[in-house]
Amino acid sequence: MTVSIGGCGVLGSDSGKVTLRLVAADYGDSAANSSTKYWAKLTKAYEEKNPDVDVQVSVYSWNDVDSKVKSMVDAGNAPDMAQIGSYADYAARELLYKAGDLLSIPTQADFVSQLGSAGKVHGQQYGMPFAASTRLLFYNKGLFAKAGITAPPTTWDELAGAAAKLKDAGVDYPYALPLGPEEAQAEAMQWMLSGGGGYTSTAGTYSLDSTENVRTFTWLKDKLVDKGLTGPVAPAKLNRATAFSSFAAGDVGMLIGHPSLMKTARDKGVQYGMVPMPGKAGVRPLTMGVADWMTAFKQHGHRAEIGKFLDFVYDEDNVLAFSREYDLLPVTSSASEVMSTAPEDRDLEPFLEQLPLSELYPVGRTSWATVAASIKKGIGTAVAPGVRPDDVLRGLETEALAAESGLS
């Protein structure tokens, strides 16, 4: 889906108006709650106070927005701003404004600390967090009761035990393991973190084939996949959207989910619970955090106008409005403080509590987009029949190191 709001062109009419072009992603799941409506309301309010600026917004689906921006940049016609999934490559090519050259000091200082830090390349912030989420383990209370499970799992062994009981009770997906190409990098990272590993080492280098990660995927293969506890679709072919839909249909006992799954499940009448991701015995599991990024391109100038508009975008009321509309976590400390105590946001509190200690993708690396694509394509095969997880992880590590050194 592509929806444009506003006029055309980089410069406005003869009146001297400046036109700012923003490319944004759509967080809605239907026309009724498309992000187009959010941006239309926000830009109208901004333009009423700033009649010398015309803000033109084009909204694309998440399947298309990153490639659309890349095409615009490659064609020599970058947007003024883009709200996308990664930024480091553009920063490395010196195409972006630094956040400090755009935002007021109070606005930049208001970013949740680890989100602001994650937006840095070589110590300079280029990526401005726009939306965030963390992950929890969702479970179907009705299916748990049917299977005689009295409490949600807190360890891997308990999770495997619960999955076995759910299978015996006839549940299609005792644990849904979406390692398909849509978002395999998220499922994989959460499992790696819960096993004491991750995508990078403490030294900052890629470590996809670390001992911890190999143990994690070996456990997944041996204890869940090979025992038929992950459902009728092979993990390498199961996408997140399908897993979420199956949970909402009452066919999934457990899966890792982000805040938007709450509404999807409620709308379908599923009684669900949420707990932190279980960890391997003896390991304190970390939670994965995800952020999407606002960027500003230098090509057409308008630094002052872009900065003033983004200060408005990150106003507390606007951040809260967006977060509440799409069940996402606010990226500013001021909005987070409001949400943490507001009765209307109680459902998001478990996710919000995880955010300060969450670990994000290594988005500050220029190689990350390439590495993430490799993970999406290949990591699901690590749990396939007849495959050694260490071989798959070693191959992905080789690709990651090649991407990091610029050899891919």
Side-chain angles (χ1 to χ4, degrees), residues 2 137 219 247 276 280 342 396:
T2 306
L137 181 75
W219 186 91
F247 185 81
K280 186 178 184 296
L396 290 171

Side-chain angles (χ1 to χ4, degrees), residues 227-252:
K227 292 186 177 182
L229 302 180
T230 55
V233 179
K237 295 183 178 180
L238 181 63
N239 281 324
R240 176 190 58 103
T242 301
F244 278 22
S245 295
S246 297
F247 185 81
D251 297 328
V252 174

Side-chain angles (χ1 to χ4, degrees), residues 167-214:
K167 181 183 179 183
D168 290 343
V171 177
D172 289 345
Y173 293 89
Y175 176 83
L177 183 66
L179 292 174
E182 179 192 357
E183 204 188 34
Q185 82 283 4
E187 183 79 13
M189 181 174 173
Q190 182 59 80
W191 275 101
M192 288 177 177
L193 291 173
S194 69
Y199 286 138
T200 57
S201 67
T202 54
T205 57
Y206 283 114
S207 59
L208 277 78
D209 62 345
S210 68
T211 300
E212 293 83 1
N213 291 343
V214 170

